[in-house]
Structures are given as C-alpha cells and as structure tokens.
Amino acid sequence: IEVLEKLKYEWYTLSPLLVEDFELTDLRDLKLKAVKLLRKKLSIMPVYGVKDPRMARLLPFWQSVFLHVNARVSYIIACRNPMSVARSLNARDGYALEKGYLLWQEHMLHSLTFTENCPRIVVDYDCFMDEPDEQLSRISERLNFKFDGNGAELVEFKSEFLEKSLRHTQFLEDDIKLDRLVPKLAADIYKLLYALAKDKISYDDSDIDVLLSSF
C-alpha cells in the first residue's frame, strides 16, 4: 500500500503502472524497509511465500528488493476466470463489470510481462479448488519444491485453508464468449493463461510473445 501511495496510485486505478514510474520516484526508504522485512522472514524460514494481488503491479519494485537480498524467486501466477473476478468486484466494491475486466486484464498482463524468463507456473483458481492435490503436485514439479501427497500438512491445508464456500461464482472457459462486455484482449489473455494452466502450451510458446508485444 505504501508503495502505491508513494506512486500516487490506488490498487483500483485503471491507468497502468510503467517501469518508468518506479525509476522516477524515490522509493529508497520503502525499499530499505522491504529489504529488512524480507531478510527477517528468510532468516526464520528458508522458503517464504507472499500472496497479494497488488504484487502484480508492483513487481518492478519487489524484484529490485529480491535482487538486493539475493533471493531465489519463483512465481505462481494465480488466474481466475475474469467473469468471476469482475462479478466479485462488482459485489464487493460496486465496480462496473467493465472496470473489473480492465483491472483483471492489467494485473494479468503485468504478471506475464514481469515474470518473463523467470521460474513460473500458471495455476487456475477453479482447478486448484477442485483438485488441490494435483495442482500442488504440478507446482512442486515445475518449481522444484518437495511435495508429500500423503503428508499431514496437505490434509490440514485442504481442511483448514481452502474454503469452497467463498467461491460464489464459477464459469467455464467458453462462457467468456457469451459476455459482450469482455474486452478482446482480456479474452485472449485468459485463453492463453488457461492453456498454460492446463499444460496445453509451454512457457516459451510464441503466442505469449505475440500477446506481450501488443501490450
């Protein structure tokens, strides 16, 4: 939040955050604060994860922090059908569906752009909720983490962390074609992300380069 405030942005601002915005704003105090926080976390545990949608827009800042502390970083790009996201934002914040789609579009584009050539995997939210064992195995294999499919931690994770009651909407992949409010670029991004999440294409597929070149 502090970084966004320094950049004079809100999480819901539609205008994109550019790399130049981070370079033209003095963020040294906040970077030092982030470095100290991350070092403290990594001194307690060798593997540390952060889940925050704002990270997608702030990756240039955080990647400079990761580089400064010499952290080995992998990315899990969590993707949800934009129809569900837009309706969730409409119900929670009163945003028009069009705004929800544009926010989803920018977050996903930044996620793909700023993690290019980095260890990463795309995980579909609905797939994860429906088959957590398979998706955790996928993540561990892609990012070289140990995974015990019979461990007590997995049982605890599925029973205490995953809350299916919070999933109020669920749309299928092709449903996006039925919503005239979905921007073409958002539909194209989702199609690509879903293909990555289902392991139908590789992360060096030319379609990704073509999509990002239009951004």
Side-chain angles (χ1 to χ4, degrees):
I1 294 178
E2 292 178 79
V3 179
L4 284 172
E5 289 176 348
K6 189 80 171 181
L7 295 168
K8 296 180 170 54
Y9 274 76
E10 301 286 352
W11 71 266
Y12 51 79
T13 303
L14 286 177
S15 55
L17 268 171
L18 305 176
V19 174
E20 292 78 11
D21 295 319
F22 296 91
E23 296 172 346
L24 295 174
T25 305
D26 189 352
L27 298 171
R28 286 176 294 179
D29 289 347
L30 291 178
K31 182 176 177 180
L32 178 59
K33 184 177 180 180
V35 165
K36 291 168 64 177
L37 175 63
L38 188 56
R39 280 182 178 154
K40 181 179 179 180
K41 295 291 185 181
L42 292 175
S43 69
I44 300 172
M45 56 195 75
V47 178
Y48 176 67
V50 180
K51 174 186 174 292
D52 188 333
R54 290 166 294 197
M55 291 283 285
R57 306 186 81 178
L58 298 175
L59 273 176
F61 169 82
W62 281 106
Q63 286 174 333
S64 71
V65 173
F66 299 151
L67 182 63
H68 191 86
V69 302
N70 196 31
R72 184 174 69 85
V73 183
S74 300
Y75 297 93
I76 299 174
I77 301 175
C79 171
R80 191 177 186 187
N81 190 308
M83 296 176 69
S84 295
V85 174
R87 282 154 182 78
S88 176
L89 292 174
N90 175 263
R92 190 190 71 182
D93 302 300
Y95 293 158
L97 294 180
E98 293 92 334
K99 180 170 184 175
Y101 285 131
L102 291 175
L103 285 170
W104 180 94
Q105 176 178 294
E106 191 197 349
H107 280 71
M108 293 297 99
L109 274 173
H110 279 296
S111 297
L112 284 171
T113 300
F114 293 129
T115 61
E116 191 174 11
N117 300 319
C118 298
R120 60 181 176 175
I121 187 171
V122 175
V123 177
D124 178 78
Y125 171 82
D126 289 313
C127 289
F128 192 89
M129 295 297 291
D130 292 336
E131 47 184 34
D133 303 64
E134 291 84 347
Q135 292 301 315
L136 288 170
S137 178
R138 233 182 112 243
I139 293 170
S140 66
E141 182 177 350
R142 173 75 183 176
L143 302 181
N144 296 315
F145 286 113
K146 291 182 179 180
F147 173 67
D148 183 359
N150 300 310
E153 293 86 354
L154 177 59
V155 175
E156 180 181 356
F157 173 79
K158 290 193 294 183
S159 63
E160 298 187 15
F161 182 80
L162 294 183
E163 296 186 42
K164 293 191 176 183
S165 62
L166 297 178
R167 180 169 54 171
H168 303 298
T169 58
Q170 182 175 2
F171 293 97
L172 301 179
E173 179 190 8
D174 287 342
D175 291 346
I176 200 168
K177 300 175 183 177
L178 305 177
D179 191 340
R180 60 181 177 80
L181 298 179
V182 180
K184 183 181 183 303
L185 180 56
D188 290 343
I189 295 169
Y190 179 63
K191 180 180 179 181
L192 185 69
L193 287 169
Y194 192 78
L196 287 167
K198 301 296 286 186
D199 296 323
K200 293 180 178 178
I201 62 174
S202 67
Y203 289 83
D204 56 1
D205 192 283
S206 60
D207 286 346
I208 300 177
D209 295 330
V210 171
L211 177 67
L212 295 181
S213 66
S214 66
F215 176 43

